């Protein structure tokens, strides 16, 4: 018996001349941060997966702009065919990539690795974009990471910007 | 392990050919021509030899579409959108209907993106020399791929473009690309980005060393008209399917200031 699982990745939007968010940053005084918890050996061990960017020398507004710009690269696909036509000056949306493993074993394997591949791709994008802007990575408990990365996009950016610029944070730096 | 996983996903990809074809009006030559066609442009480049597994790491270029290309694209998309509009309205129910700019559209018209193919070359020394016959236009160093038909990493965080004119060879200089999570033996790259960037991820980097009067040119090309590519910095762009990186700084052309792309000729932000 053949089973087919279709994994649709986000439709691919190609837009040159990246537009900056025209929305003013949320007032940081109104932004509620999740409980960051404590830095346990488990948190340190998983720091390569679950981390936040920090740079207390920057202002909240600067961090908000940086995070907003870098997160705009996140709509994701994992593996790309070379597009035949790139409109360059023109916004466009290409069809999503579809992975269709044939057979139960392949389906199970894909269902295991796809979330890892997507998280790896997402982390790599943020690291490559935020690193040259002077941010360090610090390890977070998974629950805090989820609270900072899932939900309303503008709220997430505000929370991450507030955390990034908080003085006196003593969290384990991720260097690998 | 990651390489195996990517290979596995490649085999699973459907919804079109596994590999996209190069544009029909792009020809990679395997010998120097006796003369240049007056209506065609020619890109000369020397490439490093980095591989990922069995596959060459290649350079992806995009020709900025002409007004005619864009008009044809817009017309085809508009026609497809009108055809699908009633279905989109039904699908949306009481929600917003996608605009034409948001309409998912697979364009089958003129192609303007291609990757180099190192096996089709005109000389192999320390570097591989390639000569590619293309339509005249403005070309962007768009990114890098593994093999000649995929896009792994875009230069979305900064790159360069140049003009290729008809009837003359545009010498792009020397290009290098490799995996850059660790240290690469290829020179000029921004590498050592962090070994964990290869855990369930894949980041390639690219660098260009522009041609100068001292750049060696193989004997069979020396009698043909040739000009060095005049590179200009290009700012951020989005290509969400690929991993993202930036072209390594090119002194006098491209530099970065806290992640912002700077035109090193003017000191101003690149567009």
């Amino acid at each position: 018996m053949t089973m087919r699982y279709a994994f649709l990745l986000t439709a691919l939007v190609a837009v040159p001349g990246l537009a900056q968010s025209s929305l003013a940053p949320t007032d940081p005084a109104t932004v509620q941060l999740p409980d960051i918890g404590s830095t346990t050996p488990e948190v340190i061990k998983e720091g390569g997966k679950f981390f936040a960017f920090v740079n207390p020398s920057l202002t909240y507004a600067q961090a908000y702009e940086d995070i907003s710009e870098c997160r705009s690269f996140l709509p994701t696909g994992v593996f790309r065919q070379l597009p035949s036509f790139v409109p360059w000056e023109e916004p466009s949306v290409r069809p999503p990539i579809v992975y269709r493993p044939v057979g139960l074993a392949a389906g199970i394997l894909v269902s295991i690795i796809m979330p890892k591949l997507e998280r790896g791709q997402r982390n790599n994008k943020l690291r490559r974009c935020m690193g040259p802007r002077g941010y360090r990575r610090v390890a977070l408990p998974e629950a805090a990471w989820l609270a900072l990365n899932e939900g309303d996009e503008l709220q997430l950016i505000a929370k991450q910007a507030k955390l990034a610029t908080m003085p006196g944070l003593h969290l384990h730096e991720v260097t690998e | 392990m990651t390489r195996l996983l990517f290979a596995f996903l490649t085999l699973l990809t459907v919804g079109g050919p596994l590999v996209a074809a190069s544009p029909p009006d792009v020809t990679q030559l395997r010998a120097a021509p006796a003369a240049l066609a007056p209506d065609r442009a020619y890109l000369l480049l020397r490439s490093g030899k980095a591989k990922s597994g069995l596959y060459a790491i290649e350079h992806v270029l995009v020709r900025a579409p002409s007004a005619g290309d864009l008009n044809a694209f817009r017309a085809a998309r508009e026609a497809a959108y009108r055809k699908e509009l009633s279905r989109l309205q039904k699908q949306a129910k009481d929600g917003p209907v996608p605009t034409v700019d948001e309409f998912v559209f697979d364009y089958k018209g003129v192609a303007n993106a291609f990757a180099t193919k190192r096996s089709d070359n005109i000389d192999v020394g320390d570097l591989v020399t390639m000569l590619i016959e293309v339509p005249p236009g403005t070309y962007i160093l768009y990114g890098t791929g593994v093999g000649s038909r995929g896009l792994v990493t875009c230069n979305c965080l900064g790159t360069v473009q140049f003009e290729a004119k008809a009837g003359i060879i545009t010498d792009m200089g020397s290009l290098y690309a490799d995996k850059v999570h660790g240290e690469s033996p290829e020179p000029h790259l921004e590498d050592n980005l962090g070994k964990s960037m290869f855990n369930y991820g894949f980041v390639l980097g690219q660098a260009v060393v522009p041609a100068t009067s001292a750049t060696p040119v193989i004997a069979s090309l020396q009698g043909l008209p040739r000009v060095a590519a005049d590179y200009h910095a290009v700012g951020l762009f989005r290509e969400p399917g690929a991993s993202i990186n930036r072209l390594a700084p090119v002194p006098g052309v491209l530099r970065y200031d806290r992640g912002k792309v700077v035109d090193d000729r003017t000191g101003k932000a690149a567009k």
Side-chain angles (χ1 to χ4, degrees), chain B residues 244-265:
Chain B
I244 61 172
N245 202 347
R246 64 189 195 184
L247 188 71
V250 183
V253 176
L254 169 73
R255 67 181 166 86
Y256 300 97
D257 179 15
R258 268 200 78 246
K260 306 291 181 193
V261 187
V262 178
D263 180 339
D264 208 15
R265 296 162 183 255

Side-chain angles (χ1 to χ4, degrees), chain B residues 28-36 42 44 121-123 129-133 169 217-224:
Chain B
Q28 207 157 320
L29 304 177
R30 301 191 79 162
L36 304 181
Y42 297 82
L44 171 63
N121 61 71
I122 56 172
D123 189 59
T129 302
M130 292 177 261
L131 184 66
I132 310 171
E133 188 182 304
I169 294 171
V217 175
I218 63 169
S220 56
L221 294 179
Q222 286 176 1
L224 297 170

Side-chain angles (χ1 to χ4, degrees), chain A residues 13 66 84 86 94 127-128, chain B residues 77 112 196 239-240 245 258:
Chain A
V13 186
D66 286 337
S84 61
V86 175
R94 290 198 288 273
R127 285 174 63 177
R128 194 62 192 117
Chain B
R77 184 173 58 172
N112 67 339
S196 60
E239 173 55 69
N245 202 347
R258 268 200 78 246

